[in-house]
Amino acid sequence: MCSETVFSRKPVSEMGWRSVVISSPAVLKRRHNSLAIIQGNTALIPFEDIAVIILNHREITLTHPVLSFCSQHGIALFATGDDHQPCGVFVPFLTHTRTTKLLRQQLSAPKPLTKRTWAAIVQSKIHNQSTCLRLSGKRGASQLESYRRRVRSGDSTNMEGQAAWAYFTQLFGDKFRRGADDWRNSALNYGYAVLRGAIARSLVGHGFHPSVGLFHSSERNAFNLADDIIEPFRPVVDLSVVKRYGNSDKIALTTEDKAYLISLLNVDVSLSNDKTSVLSAIDDVVTSIMRVFEQQDEALLVLPILLGMNQHVDND
């Protein structure tokens, strides 16, 4: 089975806007400039239209030209593991003309600049968590706003961690724990993984080296910068899980659940007082971080504001 989410418009980087999920045996080949999905019948999708491909079945085979064209068109290609959670992503290999320049800027960025930028990201995340509680009819929003106001450079007092504990307790109940083996964590992890891959795709497309982060700095993490940028976007996934399923007694995620979580890339957020899709907002945030590095001014950073669960509609 092949399902597809069509986003309403191309993001500013002019990369694709469709999401393709393949959940049954298939052969993937390149036919001219299109991806051929062979499952009895053959479906053709132009590579230039695709943002994300998720391979969600053990019996999917693909050819080298498919990987090559995915790279050339900036497509994030996900593989899932035995638990059907994304476990790897294939992204283009730093083909941007400014890659070396940006890498030098990333490595030489003054510590005060990266600490102030990280503080702004944490403040944005906590504000969106507060909004998520309000939109889901939960208590605790004012408490989170008090944490947000106390964030300092580099988040030296770990307001992010304190806010997260209060936030998830209010959102899912006192007994909920991140990392526990339940469907809510599975849903959150799936949605976060899709966001992370989309951010990594955008970073590479703009010439960044995604392993060089602002705050995250693990030597074993190839996506430290993506893990910085994802933070204010996480509440989009959180709100979707609590609004769609509430206190459901689900045991596992279905194919439909996963398609829904992928469609969150097209949910409306506010960015610089305009409504835009999450996918487009990711590109705009990455572009703003480029300006932060180039001009060494964290005030140039733009970050998303959570609005709700409305799918973006292009009015142009």
Side-chain angles (χ1 to χ4, degrees):
M1 178 174 63
C2 170
S3 62
E4 179 182 350
T5 300
V6 181
F7 304 126
S8 58
R9 70 178 179 90
K10 287 187 179 182
V12 293
S13 64
E14 295 300 321
M15 292 190 280
W17 71 101
R18 289 180 172 176
S19 177
V20 178
V21 185
I22 304 170
S23 299
S24 59
V27 175
L28 308 185
K29 294 184 177 181
R30 176 180 69 85
R31 290 193 180 171
H32 303 292
N33 293 316
S34 293
L35 173 68
I37 304 171
I38 304 169
Q39 296 173 308
N41 296 323
T42 299
L44 296 176
I45 305 174
F47 279 103
E48 67 180 2
D49 291 352
I50 302 173
V52 174
I53 300 172
I54 296 183
L55 309 179
N56 191 36
H57 197 280
R58 289 184 175 183
E59 297 180 25
I60 297 173
T61 59
L62 65 161
T63 63
H64 175 268
V66 169
L67 289 176
S68 177
F69 265 59
C70 283
S71 177
Q72 291 174 37
H73 290 278
I75 297 167
L77 179 68
F78 290 86
T80 60
D82 291 339
D83 59 357
H84 300 285
Q85 290 281 345
C87 62
V89 61
F90 172 80
V91 294
F93 184 65
L94 301 174
T95 57
H96 201 283
T97 56
R98 289 177 291 182
T99 293
T100 302
K101 176 184 176 182
L102 272 173
L103 179 58
R104 287 172 179 158
Q105 290 174 344
Q106 287 179 260
L107 293 173
S108 64
K111 199 65 176 178
L113 175 69
T114 60
K115 291 173 71 174
R116 292 193 300 268
T117 304
W118 173 243
I121 289 172
V122 171
Q123 288 173 328
S124 174
K125 175 185 182 179
I126 296 174
H127 176 70
N128 284 341
Q129 289 174 326
S130 173
T131 301
C132 178
L133 290 179
R134 289 194 183 97
L135 291 174
S136 56
K138 307 291 184 178
R139 298 178 179 179
S142 59
Q143 180 185 6
L144 289 188
E145 286 298 331
S146 73
Y147 287 133
R148 179 186 64 81
R149 290 190 293 270
R150 284 184 274 164
V151 174
R152 299 294 180 262
S153 178
D155 190 23
S156 56
T157 54
N158 192 27
M159 288 296 106
E160 181 195 18
Q162 295 182 54
W165 184 88
Y167 170 67
F168 282 112
T169 298
Q170 292 291 345
L171 197 61
F172 294 117
D174 293 341
K175 295 182 180 180
F176 177 78
R177 295 291 182 272
R178 282 290 289 139
D181 185 14
D182 64 33
W183 70 268
R184 291 171 300 183
N185 276 310
S186 293
L188 294 174
N189 292 340
Y190 196 97
Y192 295 159
V194 171
L195 280 177
R196 190 174 188 245
I199 293 168
R201 161 187 177 266
S202 182
L203 285 169
V204 172
H206 283 80
F208 280 102
H209 200 297
S211 68
V212 182
L214 296 162
F215 172 76
H216 292 88
S217 58
S218 171
E219 294 181 354
R220 298 182 179 182
N221 185 1
F223 300 109
N224 283 311
L225 187 53
D227 288 340
D228 293 329
I229 295 171
I230 195 177
E231 299 299 351
F233 288 99
R234 288 182 188 271
V236 174
V237 178
D238 306 338
L239 181 61
S240 74
V241 173
V242 73
K243 292 280 279 188
R244 183 176 174 92
Y245 304 112
N247 295 319
S248 170
D249 57 356
K250 291 172 66 67
I251 297 175
L253 297 179
T254 66
T255 300
E256 290 74 20
D257 293 332
K258 294 169 185 175
Y260 169 71
L261 290 165
I262 295 164
S263 75
L264 297 179
L265 291 174
N266 197 46
V267 162
D268 263 333
V269 293
S270 176
L271 199 75
S272 301
N273 296 317
D274 288 328
K275 285 184 180 180
T276 188
S277 70
V278 167
L279 192 65
S280 291
I282 286 170
D283 281 335
D284 290 341
V285 170
V286 169
T287 299
S288 77
I289 289 179
M290 183 185 303
R291 292 194 293 267
V292 168
F293 281 121
E294 289 176 344
Q295 301 183 40
Q296 298 195 3
D297 184 0
E298 73 280 0
L300 298 173
L301 181 67
V302 298
L303 294 167
I305 297 173
L306 182 66
L307 294 177
M309 287 290 100
N310 292 332
Q311 290 281 307
H312 183 70
V313 176
D314 188 2
N315 295 319
D316 294 341

